[in-house]
Each structure stands twice: as C-alpha cells, then as structure tokens.
Amino acid sequence: MNHNARGSMARGLLIAGGVIAVLLLVVVMAFIGRYNELVGRQEQVDAAWSEVDNQYKRRFDLVPQLVSTVQGAADFEKSTITEVTEARASVGRAQMPPGLPEDPAQLQAYNQAQQGLGAALSRLLVVVERYPDLKASANFLALQDQLEGTENRIAVARRYYIDAVRVYNTLRRRFPANLIAGMFGFEAVPQLQIDEGERDTPQVDFDFEKNDG
C-alpha cells in the first residue's frame, strides 16, 4: 500500500470516527433531554398532588367548625350532622402516606372517602336552606364562603393533577423515555378517577403559583 493510499484510508477513518462521535453526542443529548423532561413532568405531578392534598386537608379542617355552628340551630337534622361527621371520619381513616400516590387501590379508596365527604357537605348545605336564622348567621356565612371556595379549589386542583399525570405517564411510555424511565426508576403514577357526576367542574381562575404560600 503506497503512501497516498494510507493517507486516504487514515482520512476516511478520521471522518468516520468524527461522524460516529457526532452521532453518539446526538444520542447522549437526546437521552439527557428526555431525562430532564421526565424530571420536570414528575415535579409537576408532585406539585399537583400537593395542591390536591392541601385543599382536601383545608376542607377536612373546616368541617368541625361547620358542624359546631349548625348544631347550635334549633331542631337541626341530627342525621345530616351524623352523616357529615362519619364521612369526615372515613377520610381520616383513608389518609395517604406522604409523597406521590403509589398504590392505585389506596388512592381510589382515599378519593372515594373524599367524594363521600363532599357529597355529605353538599346535602348539609341544602338542609340549611330550611333554617333562615342559620342562613343569616355571620359565622355560618363565613364558613360557607370558605367551604365553597375550597370546593372550587379542589375541583381545579384535581383537574390539574389528572392532566399532569396523563402527560407524565404518556411521556414515560414513549421511546426513548421508556428506556430512561426503566433505568432511573421513573414509575407510573396512579390516575385519579372522578365520578361522572363530578366531571363538570366549575370554571374558576385559580393560579397555583400564587397560592403556593
């Protein structure tokens, strides 16, 4: 092999090596991009769940004050108060561990308990319509406003969580994100199942970032 031939072969190998290096760099950058996207989407799911949980806890804390107020009304239906109290107790028994939900069955039980409490509170507010003195109470009206505001926030927070989980779970199934998810432990997050009667959520302007504090 003469000198020119060896020189051409060397240049060819150098070009091939450069092409391979560029392709490897592109692949590595693509994997890094997908990894960072998975991290970002997972953080969004975590923030969404924290908002759902915070609003549920806020409602949970409002119930004793509401029950105490309506108990002061003459002849208020005890069965309605008992229903709310028992629904709140069911929520207490179904509490989730810290962090993102991992067990779909546990999340479903928790969500059903929360929906039961929401339904019981709705029935209580309907019954209150029969008690003009209670409806005129400044204390009750303040609690009612807080409860209604919290219900709106719950509806929006749940929708935000559902959307965030859908985007994250879809991403982690796509190539090459599915490889990265398997390598680095990005597990699927269980979805929140909403009853048909609750799917039409109120249209309210709720900025999660403004309410972080």
Side-chain angles (χ1 to χ4, degrees):
M1 184 180 294
N2 59 35
H3 179 73
N4 289 337
R6 286 197 298 269
S8 296
M9 182 177 292
R11 285 193 296 274
L13 290 173
L14 184 62
I15 292 171
V19 170
I20 292 172
V22 170
L23 290 175
L24 285 175
L25 181 61
V26 170
V27 170
V28 169
M29 294 302 295
F31 267 69
I32 291 174
R34 285 293 180 267
Y35 175 86
N36 290 336
E37 188 176 3
L38 279 167
V39 170
R41 294 298 184 182
Q42 190 179 59
E43 289 294 324
Q44 288 180 353
V45 173
D46 186 65
W49 174 249
S50 294
E51 187 61 35
V52 171
D53 204 34
N54 286 341
Q55 295 304 329
Y56 275 151
K57 287 176 180 175
R58 179 177 178 178
R59 181 175 67 181
F60 186 84
D61 292 339
L62 281 173
V63 172
Q65 302 174 60
L66 188 65
V67 168
S68 177
T69 300
V70 298
Q71 279 178 330
D75 300 324
F76 193 86
E77 296 179 15
K78 288 183 171 55
S79 61
T80 302
I81 297 175
T82 299
E83 183 182 9
V84 171
T85 303
E86 291 178 349
R88 184 178 186 270
S90 295
V91 168
R93 291 191 295 269
Q95 285 300 308
M96 300 286 291
L100 278 174
E102 296 179 356
D103 184 348
Q106 188 178 40
L107 176 61
Q108 184 65 10
Y110 178 68
N111 187 51
Q112 287 177 346
Q114 292 289 1
Q115 290 177 342
L117 178 57
L121 288 169
S122 295
R123 284 189 285 273
L124 183 144
L125 293 179
V126 170
V127 171
V128 165
E129 293 297 317
R130 307 171 194 162
Y131 297 83
D133 291 343
L134 187 56
K135 286 173 59 180
S137 165
N139 187 36
F140 173 78
L141 290 176
L143 286 170
Q144 184 181 33
D145 286 344
Q146 291 182 61
L147 181 61
E148 289 174 350
T150 300
E151 291 291 348
N152 283 343
R153 289 180 173 88
I154 287 172
V156 176
R158 287 189 310 197
R159 178 55 55 194
Y160 184 50
Y161 173 82
I162 289 170
D163 289 343
V165 170
R166 176 183 53 78
V167 171
Y168 168 76
N169 283 343
T170 300
L171 173 64
R172 68 177 296 279
R173 291 174 56 195
R174 290 177 175 167
F175 180 84
N178 59 339
L179 301 179
I180 299 167
M183 292 168 58
F184 295 98
F186 289 93
E187 300 294 338
V189 177
Q191 187 57 279
L192 195 61
Q193 303 297 325
I194 304 300
D195 289 345
E196 288 297 327
E198 297 192 28
R199 290 191 181 275
D200 296 328
T201 57
Q203 298 297 314
V204 295
D205 182 11
F206 185 65
D207 189 333
F208 291 101
E209 293 183 359
K210 289 181 182 177
N211 288 274
D212 284 344

